[in-house]
Amino acid sequence: MALLITDECINCDVCEPACPNDAISMGADFYRIDPHRCTECVGHFDEPQCVTLCPVECIPFDPAWRESREQLQAKYERLQEQKRAA
C-alpha cells in the first residue's frame, strides 16, 4: 500500500524532507503523497518516516493502493534504477 495524507495535515513541513523517494510534495491545501513513488520506506527504513515524524498522525494507508512488501521492494528497486540512470 501507499500512504496518503489526510486533510488533517497542518503543513508542518516535517514529512517532505524525510521522504527518501521524493514522494511527498505540497498540494493545493496540504501535502500529498504520490502513490507511484511511495514505497512506505521499504528499502530505506524499517517503517515509514513520514508516519513516524507526523505530529498529528494524519498519514494512514491508502486503501486504493494495496501493495505487498514484495511489490513495494520492486518499486523501490525500480526507483533506484531510475535515479542511477538520471
Side-chain angles (χ1 to χ4, degrees), residues 9 19 24 35-36 44 48 54 72:
C9 175
C19 181
I24 301 175
H36 295 100
H44 295 282
C54 182
L72 292 169

Side-chain angles (χ1 to χ4, degrees), residues 17-45:
C19 181
N21 295 316
D22 298 322
I24 301 175
S25 62
M26 180 52 88
D29 298 314
F30 51 89
Y31 283 96
R32 58 174 292 282
I33 297 177
D34 179 351
H36 295 100
R37 298 192 64 79
C38 179
T39 64
E40 298 173 33
C41 290
V42 167
H44 295 282
F45 301 100

Side-chain angles (χ1 to χ4, degrees), residues 10-72:
I10 60 171
N11 296 326
C12 69
D13 303 322
V14 173
C15 61
E16 183 182 24
C19 181
N21 295 316
D22 298 322
I24 301 175
S25 62
M26 180 52 88
D29 298 314
F30 51 89
Y31 283 96
R32 58 174 292 282
I33 297 177
D34 179 351
H36 295 100
R37 298 192 64 79
C38 179
T39 64
E40 298 173 33
C41 290
V42 167
H44 295 282
F45 301 100
D46 292 333
E47 54 191 38
Q49 296 301 287
C50 60
V51 173
T52 301
L53 296 171
C54 182
V56 293
E57 300 178 2
C58 67
I59 309 176
F61 289 107
D62 184 344
W65 284 87
R66 297 198 177 269
E67 297 170 292
S68 67
R69 180 144 180 98
E70 292 78 22
Q71 290 170 310
L72 292 169

